[in-house]
Amino acid sequence: MREVKLPISSNQLTLLSMGVAAILWTQAASAAAEDMPSTTLQTITVTANTSVRDKVQEDGVYVEDYTPAQQASHLSDFLNVVPGVTVGGTSTVNQRVRIRGLEDSNLKVTVDGARQEGKLFYHMGDITIDPDLLKQADVAVGNNSVTLGNDALGGAVAFETVDAADLLKPGQKIGAKLKAGYASNNDELLTSATVFGAPSDNVDLLAYYGKRDTSSGEDGEGRELFEDSESESFLLKAGAYVGDDHHVGASFSRTDKEGVFPFRPDFPSRSEPPIPQQVKRDTYTLDHNFNPANSLIDVDTTVYQTETQILRDNGIEAVSGYDWDAKVKTTGVKIENTSVIDTNSGRHKLIAGLEHYKKQSDFYSAEDRTTKLPVSGKDSAKNTSVYLEDQWQMGKLTLTPGVRYDRYEAPEFIAGGKTYDNVVGALAASYEIAPRTQVFASYTELFNGPDLGQTVFNSNGEGVYVNNDLKPEEGYNSEVGVTTTLRDLTIADDALQLSAKYFRSNIENYQQFMRTGSRPGRFGIDCETGAIGGDCQGMFNSDEDYKIDGVELAANYTTRDFGMGLSYSRARSEGDKTGNSIPSVSGSGADSGDRYMVNLDYAANDMVDLGWRSTYVASITDNQGETKPSYDVHDVYVNYSPRQFDGLKATVGVYNLFDETYASHASRLNTADATTTDFEMGRNIKTSLTYQF
């Protein structure tokens, strides 16, 4: 049996850790003996309750209600709790959200409503955000509505940062929140401070600063994971009510991470030495809501700009110490109005919207940065969408038809700037067959124009095959299922929520990127004809139509002081000709394995809250014929909020309790060579102290 690695014996814990442990263990015993008042349990997943689309498609994680989210440094720490969602890539610069097996390049990802578009480097993830900035993450599991817009084949993830209104207590004018956290495996130290206030009844302000220092951690076998970094995060927000009908807001958020990472982050142990890199994201938003005293007008407008950048030092002397600069900037505007109309035939909730955005990629090579010449590669794409959806409620029956028009101008390097005009439709229905029990079905057509190429391969057209015949990705997503809520089963006020879904997504003209390289079996594209085999890189359509089938089951039981969540999910893809699954970096296509998850939460009283999470993922055989082994991971955690110190909370969690050695099926795994496998972190003890006043 391997020796249990405790942080005290290896001198890894700081005074913070000892302070948290002292508070917990000296007072938890006496607290547990107290009477059990009513308390708020951790919310594991949250489902809205207004329409078919809201009720069964959108799940979410609220950071303050779920301990792993409060202590998260990686998106997998909390998003994996949503059935159908996995996060691949163990490094924070390599994390990729996957919904039903489709990676974030096929998802709509937003931060405070601002789209995060484009791809920088195919070995790196494109979602750069520190979870400590977030108050919630809403997930559209699958695309079941025209309101999501284009570039959302698999669904959407909407990250929302914290607001002053979330932190202010009734009657409070100004406050602050201080936080410190430590993780034993990689010596990660987080410190953050938030100041918030409401100088008047109509104005609220918030400022946040966080710093996170991380060393290289280890997997369950003690192998180094190669990430040594420092990061800073900023958030500024302001909101104001103007009269009775208008609310305006503005925000700026930044995550800036600088350190030493593997050249290919999904190969954390390859022979290439780690290199200095910097990854950062800036997001600016302006929003306005107009809601006069009538049911026909409720207009939300958001204007935004997001820029994501990677700077790398490949060993060539360059300006500012970096010789490789890739960035993607997205600017856009979205206007959406919601009207509620009561008629003799039922109630209509009409959602009408307009969205326009432009995404642009820029790449500076080593020569550009040393000689200050023009950019080596620059490309862009534009999209304009208009849509209308009607949620029509007729007693127990609800029908939701929708239609959307897209005009998409493709990138020059990928498709010669070709313009695509496309119309898609959707129809959903639900029927209440019994009190609090609904059956539902939906069908949504999909459209996705050719995306920007990977920024690092932009080269002003040199070595690029421009595919003027490239087709957009199209298809459909369909679902059927049932959801029910049962109350007062064993005791008063308990509740059991059950849901079951079966889905099928069909993707035609799947777009694949191909480039030449030195590794065996890698072929480029002929620079003249576009045929496989040559010295050029470019995009082409697969001759396969891929189908993704799967199921998602969930059960959540809650009482006054106890909560339990159970879930099962699976998604598998297959081509209609060869039977192979959708190509992916992980080699497993859309299959992330049969996943079973259990969440337990017990509130002993209003001071002590205990939690346990268990995840089991079955083995799979990928599209290269290699078997990815199963794994079983357990996490435990406890919160303590002493009554005598209002606003103070101490948390201790042990993640990967039994030091499992494993790689997520959503990450790269090579069963023949452990050095090219993206292993997850071994046992990790996290402690944190939060004080709000």
Side-chain angles (χ1 to χ4, degrees):
M1 179 179 295
R2 187 185 304 113
E3 181 182 358
V4 176
K5 297 185 292 183
L6 291 176
I8 294 177
S9 62
S10 60
N11 295 318
Q12 289 179 315
L13 286 184
T14 61
L15 291 175
L16 168 66
S17 306
M18 293 183 285
V20 173
I23 292 174
L24 286 167
W25 293 110
T26 56
Q27 302 195 44
S30 60
E34 307 241 356
D35 293 335
M36 296 188 296
S38 177
T39 185
T40 301
L41 293 175
Q42 294 181 102
T43 302
I44 297 173
T45 59
V46 178
T47 303
N49 56 9
T50 55
S51 70
V52 176
R53 179 174 61 85
D54 294 334
K55 194 177 186 80
V56 300
Q57 183 198 22
E58 294 185 358
D59 290 310
V61 177
Y62 289 77
V63 171
E64 287 301 315
D65 292 335
Y66 189 47
T67 300
Q70 297 172 38
Q71 295 195 304
S73 57
H74 192 277
L75 296 178
S76 63
D77 293 333
F78 63 97
L79 277 185
N80 282 348
V81 77
V82 179
V85 179
T86 55
V87 181
T90 58
S91 169
T92 54
V93 300
N94 186 38
Q95 54 191 355
R96 293 183 178 91
V97 177
R98 302 180 76 181
I99 297 179
R100 296 175 176 174
L102 292 172
E103 294 181 346
D104 48 57
S105 59
N106 297 122
L107 308 176
K108 177 186 176 183
V109 179
T110 60
V111 176
D112 288 334
R115 279 182 177 259
Q116 315 289 301
E117 291 284 334
K119 292 174 285 189
L120 293 163
F121 180 41
Y122 66 102
H123 290 284
M124 304 185 78
D126 300 308
I127 302 177
T128 305
I129 190 167
D130 192 317
D132 198 49
L133 288 169
L134 302 176
K135 71 173 179 181
Q136 70 185 72
D138 294 321
V139 182
V141 184
N143 188 334
N144 295 319
S145 170
V146 296
T147 63
L148 282 187
N150 78 322
D151 202 10
L153 294 182
V157 184
F159 296 106
E160 189 172 348
T161 58
V162 67
D163 294 306
D166 303 315
L167 301 175
L168 285 166
K169 299 176 182 178
Q172 188 178 20
K173 291 295 184 181
I174 189 170
K177 181 179 180 180
L178 306 177
K179 182 177 181 179
Y182 179 80
S184 66
N185 188 296
N186 57 352
D187 287 324
E188 181 178 86
L189 180 63
L190 167 69
T191 54
S192 67
T194 309
V195 179
F196 46 90
S200 70
D201 293 339
N202 298 327
V203 177
D204 58 84
L205 305 169
L206 180 143
Y208 166 94
Y209 172 77
K211 183 176 174 63
R212 193 184 293 268
D213 295 332
T214 302
S215 299
S216 293
E218 298 178 347
D219 66 11
E221 295 292 337
R223 289 181 291 250
E224 188 176 2
L225 297 179
F226 297 104
E227 175 176 339
D228 192 350
S229 66
E230 296 182 358
S231 63
E232 292 182 307
S233 294
F234 305 87
L235 175 64
L236 300 174
K237 273 192 170 183
Y241 288 93
V242 181
D244 297 328
D245 304 333
H246 299 269
H247 181 270
V248 294
S251 70
F252 165 72
S253 65
R254 164 180 289 178
T255 296
D256 189 344
K257 179 181 289 289
E258 188 168 5
V260 177
F261 307 98
F263 179 80
R264 298 175 174 89
D266 54 347
F267 290 115
S269 303
R270 280 182 65 88
S271 57
E272 299 104 324
I275 61 173
Q277 303 184 55
Q278 183 178 7
V279 182
K280 60 181 180 179
R281 174 197 55 83
D282 289 345
T283 298
Y284 303 83
T285 66
L286 292 172
D287 59 81
H288 172 254
N289 173 258
F290 176 51
N291 187 9
N294 68 71
S295 61
L296 298 179
I297 301 176
D298 186 359
V299 183
D300 286 306
T301 302
T302 302
V303 181
Y304 59 85
Q305 175 179 296
T306 290
E307 183 174 278
T308 304
Q309 182 178 27
I310 300 176
L311 295 151
R312 310 181 77 173
D313 182 0
N314 295 329
I316 303 173
E317 184 177 353
V319 177
S320 303
Y322 292 101
D323 54 50
W324 198 78
D325 184 349
K327 67 178 65 175
V328 175
K329 181 169 68 175
T330 306
T331 55
V333 58
K334 182 178 179 180
I335 305 172
E336 186 175 275
N337 180 65
T338 302
S339 301
V340 178
I341 304 173
D342 288 311
T343 68
N344 293 332
S345 60
R347 168 167 288 192
H348 296 263
K349 182 179 179 181
L350 294 172
I351 301 175
L354 165 68
E355 181 181 21
H356 174 79
Y357 65 90
K358 176 183 178 181
K359 48 189 175 182
Q360 177 177 307
S361 61
D362 298 300
F363 177 64
Y364 294 82
S365 69
E367 291 78 11
D368 295 324
R369 295 183 64 81
T370 54
T371 63
K372 298 183 180 180
L373 293 174
V375 64
S376 284
K378 176 179 291 188
D379 211 354
S380 64
K382 298 178 183 178
N383 187 79
T384 302
S385 302
V386 291
Y387 56 87
L388 177 66
E389 181 178 88
D390 180 14
Q391 299 175 15
W392 181 14
Q393 185 175 355
M394 300 165 284
K396 296 181 179 181
L397 175 65
T398 300
L399 294 177
T400 307
V403 63
R404 188 181 81 245
Y405 165 76
D406 289 286
R407 181 177 177 83
Y408 186 83
E409 299 178 35
E412 288 286 343
F413 292 169
I414 300 299
K418 184 177 180 179
T419 297
Y420 301 84
D421 293 283
N422 195 77
V423 177
V424 297
L427 178 63
S430 71
Y431 185 76
E432 188 177 13
I433 59 175
R436 298 186 296 273
T437 301
Q438 290 182 319
V439 293
F440 58 86
S442 65
Y443 178 90
T444 306
E445 293 178 319
L446 306 175
F447 166 78
N448 187 26
D451 200 358
L452 293 171
Q454 297 176 51
T455 305
V456 298
F457 300 130
N458 288 355
S459 57
N460 275 340
E462 297 180 5
V464 175
Y465 172 74
V466 178
N467 189 348
N468 293 302
D469 297 323
L470 193 64
K471 300 176 183 177
E473 294 173 324
E474 297 177 307
Y476 64 84
N477 181 66
S478 57
E479 294 187 8
V480 294
V482 60
T483 180
T484 186
T485 301
L486 307 174
R487 298 187 181 277
D488 302 327
L489 294 175
T490 59
I491 61 175
D493 298 326
D494 70 351
L496 175 63
Q497 293 179 314
L498 302 171
S499 67
K501 287 186 280 186
Y502 169 79
F503 64 87
R504 165 169 284 188
S505 296
N506 186 79
I507 302 176
E508 302 172 4
N509 308 321
Y510 188 79
Q511 295 165 6
Q512 295 180 249
F513 177 81
M514 180 168 287
R515 64 181 291 263
T516 187
S518 59
R519 294 204 302 274
R522 169 174 281 179
F523 302 98
I525 298 176
D526 186 277
C527 300
E528 299 296 329
T529 66
I532 303 301
D535 297 323
C536 277
Q537 61 194 12
M539 195 80 71
F540 65 95
N541 294 115
S542 172
D543 59 0
E544 294 268 355
D545 289 346
Y546 292 103
K547 296 180 175 62
I548 306 174
D549 294 278
V551 297
E552 292 157 2
L553 309 175
N556 289 286
Y557 177 74
T558 58
T559 68
R560 184 178 57 149
D561 52 14
F562 174 75
M564 177 173 66
L566 307 174
S567 68
Y568 166 78
S569 60
R570 62 170 285 182
R572 295 182 181 174
S573 64
E574 186 174 287
D576 64 354
K577 295 182 180 179
T578 66
N580 291 331
S581 57
I582 294 176
S584 72
V585 172
S586 68
S588 58
D591 190 356
S592 297
D594 291 30
R595 189 179 65 172
Y596 306 81
M597 181 170 283
V598 180
N599 281 272
L600 298 178
D601 180 78
Y602 174 63
N605 51 49
D606 63 349
M607 294 192 294
V608 178
D609 188 38
L610 309 171
W612 174 58
R613 176 175 64 179
S614 177
T615 305
Y616 172 77
V617 180
S619 63
I620 63 171
T621 300
D622 66 21
N623 53 17
Q624 274 83 45
E626 295 186 340
T627 298
K628 297 186 174 184
S630 63
Y631 55 88
D632 189 8
V633 182
H634 301 267
D635 309 318
V636 294
Y637 37 87
V638 56
N639 292 318
Y640 178 66
S641 302
R643 295 192 185 104
Q644 58 268 45
F645 296 103
D646 184 38
L648 179 68
K649 182 169 71 172
T651 303
V652 169
V654 184
Y655 301 87
N656 195 356
L657 177 65
F658 299 110
D659 210 15
E660 179 92 346
T661 300
Y662 72 103
S664 167
H665 296 342
S667 300
R668 185 183 293 275
L669 174 62
N670 187 337
T671 56
D673 185 1
T675 65
T676 62
T677 295
D678 197 4
F679 284 110
E680 299 285 338
M681 193 175 293
R683 182 186 298 110
N684 197 13
I685 301 176
K686 295 184 179 182
T687 62
S688 61
L689 280 173
T690 303
Y691 181 48
Q692 182 174 331
F693 57 93

